[in-house]
Amino acid sequence: MASKLPFIIGLGAGYVLGTRAGRAQYERMKSAASRAAQRCPVAYSRRNDAKGHPVTGMKTDKKYVLAIDQGTTSSRAILFNHDGEIVAVAQKEHAQVLPRAGWVEHDAAEIWANVRSVVAGVLSKAEVNRHEIASVGITNQRESAVVWDRTTGEPVYNVIVWQDTRTQKICDRLAAAAPKPDGSPDYDRYKDRVGLGLATYFAGPKVAWVLENVKGARERAEAGELLMGTMDSWVLWNLTGGATGGVHATDVTNASRTMLMNIDTLDWNPEICADMGIPASMLPTIRPSSGIFGLGRKNGLLIDTPIAGILGDQQAATFGQACFEVGQAKSTYGTGCFMLMNTGATPVRSRNGLLTTVCYQIEGEPPVYALEGSIAVAGSLVQWLRDNLGIITHSRDIEALARSVDDNGGAYFVPAFSGLFAPHWRPDARGALVGLTRYVNKGHLARAVEEATAFQTREVLEAMNRDAEASGTTLQELKVDGGMTRDELLMQFQADQVGVPVVRPKVTETTALGAAYAAGIAVGFWSGIGDVVANWAEGRRWDPAMDAAERERLFRNWRKAVTRTLDWVDDDVVE
């Protein structure tokens, strides 16, 4: 019994709760990193002046930092030079497993195989080997969770993806177990502690589902045989050796998306873990985002290369966009759409449907927090139009089709495929296309698809401004990134709706770049966030141009459309 008790270790500004095995693993990792530093002190140390301040322009014999971007639809490896420029890219898609309505899964073994493949591919394209790489950063689809055997490395079930809604009954049960004074379920029962409300989106309930539904999983977990993690933990564990000494860890940003980590103290919450039936022995050690996690495995292509940065994808994009000042924000347009605003060293509890999350933490420094608005469906709506309806052949065709008409023809598309995320948080909602007349054609549908992303982003931005009012902070411009920002029509409409300039950087791969920066800072390749700010450069700007009355008319219709999606899921709906 005593051997399973948690211990607490100090890391930077907070404390991290782990297991005895995790502590031993961490000490081994520190020792290995120390030996690596002795072999190559220039690449593995940070240089300070006489007052202890980092020196910029630090020299190193390493030329590149490698970022591994494990995303929702693909895994990529991107090599960056010291100027933050892309040297080479390799990418490989993985299968989307959809066993039934509302369920979304990935094959963890396929993803690990793809990660190995893209690492090999990018090194080959650039004609680079590990000796020229200072460090490796990992960024990942957040909230997606996997459970695996610590001895064999075999997953006990597929990855349950962040979009998956199967855990609604678990969330309902947990909310009902601690009702509000009026007796109604309290979906915010953990929010003050973890910054998140009970929702299918987060990783904790997904792990609980595996333990409750996969035969023998609970018994094996309680016997200490199983590990769990978000996809960063899965990739890190395998990169550093897997069943033969792999490091089982995560960073503060990914841990903050599990619903299991105390947002103020950055440690696992034993009470919430117990409520979800998740043994402490399964949990990864929580570490700062920028710091050496471990070294590349001996039988891989990155032998002894430090894995020195981990950030969840949206936090990585915020880091890559150099949003280091309080009030700076970015919005990433990918499968979903995610806006984060830096709130500084103090977590801000949202009263307007947003999430309180960790933005990043550099080892030895206090954590930085953010408010986040998460939109489940953005780019995936374009994919749906392509794959399910066949209206377009390629995703890039959406802009040309939308430009074939002058407006949306009165049609509004609310893509609540898995309910509505921020700021509504309505799992009972389902997608709706409203305002249809015989006048509407496929061009109008394309326009409605594009505008849906902009309308949802405006909803989030307005909620963010309301939360930030107390500190006197309002958004002055919106930095954007992600694949959809190549769509000029969408970006102009976005500027028109939010009423502030929309700015895209020169390097739009900010998610991978942010992970690279975190890893490079940890080993001295970059001296600190000043280098990130210096490297950032504006690529394109869109200023608001729409008449204010028309802007508000369109948004009023959008809000009316949203009401048509609510209260759809009930006992009569079978999914």
Side-chain angles (χ1 to χ4, degrees), residues 413-455:
F413 202 146
V414 184
F417 291 161
S418 53
L420 288 171
F421 280 19
H424 306 282
W425 297 108
R426 292 292 297 265
D428 60 303
R430 285 298 178 268
L433 179 58
V434 301
L436 295 183
T437 64
R438 288 191 65 184
Y439 171 71
V440 172
N441 61 36
K442 62 183 180 180
H444 297 114
L445 294 184
R447 193 108 180 183
V449 165
E450 296 237 307
E451 292 179 354
T453 294
F455 287 134

Side-chain angles (χ1 to χ4, degrees), residues 86-349:
I86 294 174
V87 176
V89 181
Q91 180 173 6
K92 196 165 187 177
E93 292 189 0
H94 52 263
Q96 304 296 307
V97 182
L98 308 170
R100 54 187 289 186
W103 291 29
V104 186
E105 299 175 0
H106 295 156
D107 181 338
E110 179 191 9
I111 285 175
W112 169 232
N114 286 358
V115 167
R116 297 200 309 275
S117 175
V118 295
V119 167
V122 79
L123 296 180
S124 176
K125 283 183 179 180
E127 297 186 345
V128 165
N129 62 40
R130 64 183 176 87
H131 298 293
E132 297 173 272
I133 297 174
S135 58
V136 177
I138 297 171
T139 185
N140 58 289
Q141 51 169 320
R142 305 170 305 167
E143 298 95 17
S144 300
V146 62
V147 175
W148 70 95
D149 188 297
R150 68 165 70 237
T151 302
T152 67
E154 292 294 323
V156 303
Y157 191 79
N158 276 344
V159 179
I160 301 181
V161 179
W162 58 273
Q163 301 155 311
D164 191 286
T165 61
R166 77 184 70 188
T167 59
Q168 187 59 54
K169 289 184 178 178
I170 292 175
C171 294
D172 293 342
R173 183 181 74 213
L174 290 167
K180 298 177 182 178
D182 64 2
S184 62
D186 186 2
Y187 288 91
D188 288 335
R189 63 176 291 195
Y190 301 132
K191 195 168 187 179
D192 282 342
R193 285 176 280 178
V194 302
L196 313 172
L198 275 164
T200 61
Y201 182 25
F202 305 111
K206 300 180 193 302
V207 175
W209 187 93
V210 171
L211 298 183
E212 292 178 14
N213 290 276
V214 175
K215 186 177 180 180
R218 175 162 304 286
E219 292 77 13
R220 293 170 66 189
E222 291 176 351
E225 297 174 10
L226 301 184
L227 301 175
M228 62 79 71
T230 42
M231 296 310 293
D232 59 301
S233 294
W234 171 247
V235 172
L236 173 69
W237 188 79
N238 281 290
L239 274 178
T240 53
T244 56
V247 175
H248 186 217
T250 189
D251 91 299
V252 290
T253 68
N254 280 292
S256 73
R257 314 300 294 189
T258 61
M259 209 189 299
L260 304 174
M261 187 191 81
N262 293 310
I263 198 72
D264 293 290
T265 54
L266 310 183
D267 53 8
W268 298 120
N269 186 297
E271 180 186 344
I272 300 175
C273 290
D275 287 348
M276 295 192 192
I278 299 173
S281 60
M282 297 183 71
L283 302 171
T285 301
I286 303 173
R287 300 271 291 121
S289 311
S290 178
I292 297 176
F293 287 80
L295 304 176
R297 62 198 180 112
K298 299 297 184 184
N299 58 340
L301 293 176
L302 300 170
I303 301 170
D304 289 340
T305 306
I307 290 74
I310 293 178
L311 290 152
D313 53 8
Q314 302 312 315
Q315 285 91 338
T318 308
F319 204 91
Q321 285 271 39
C323 293
F324 299 123
E325 300 294 328
V326 173
Q328 289 186 321
K330 70 86 204 177
S331 187
T332 297
Y333 298 76
T335 303
C337 187
F338 304 87
M339 186 185 298
L340 272 74
M341 176 186 281
N342 185 323
T343 62
T346 303
V348 174
R349 265 70 178 186

Side-chain angles (χ1 to χ4, degrees), residues 8 16 24 108 188 348 537 550 571:
I8 294 181
V16 179
D188 288 335
V348 174
E550 177 65 4
D571 292 339

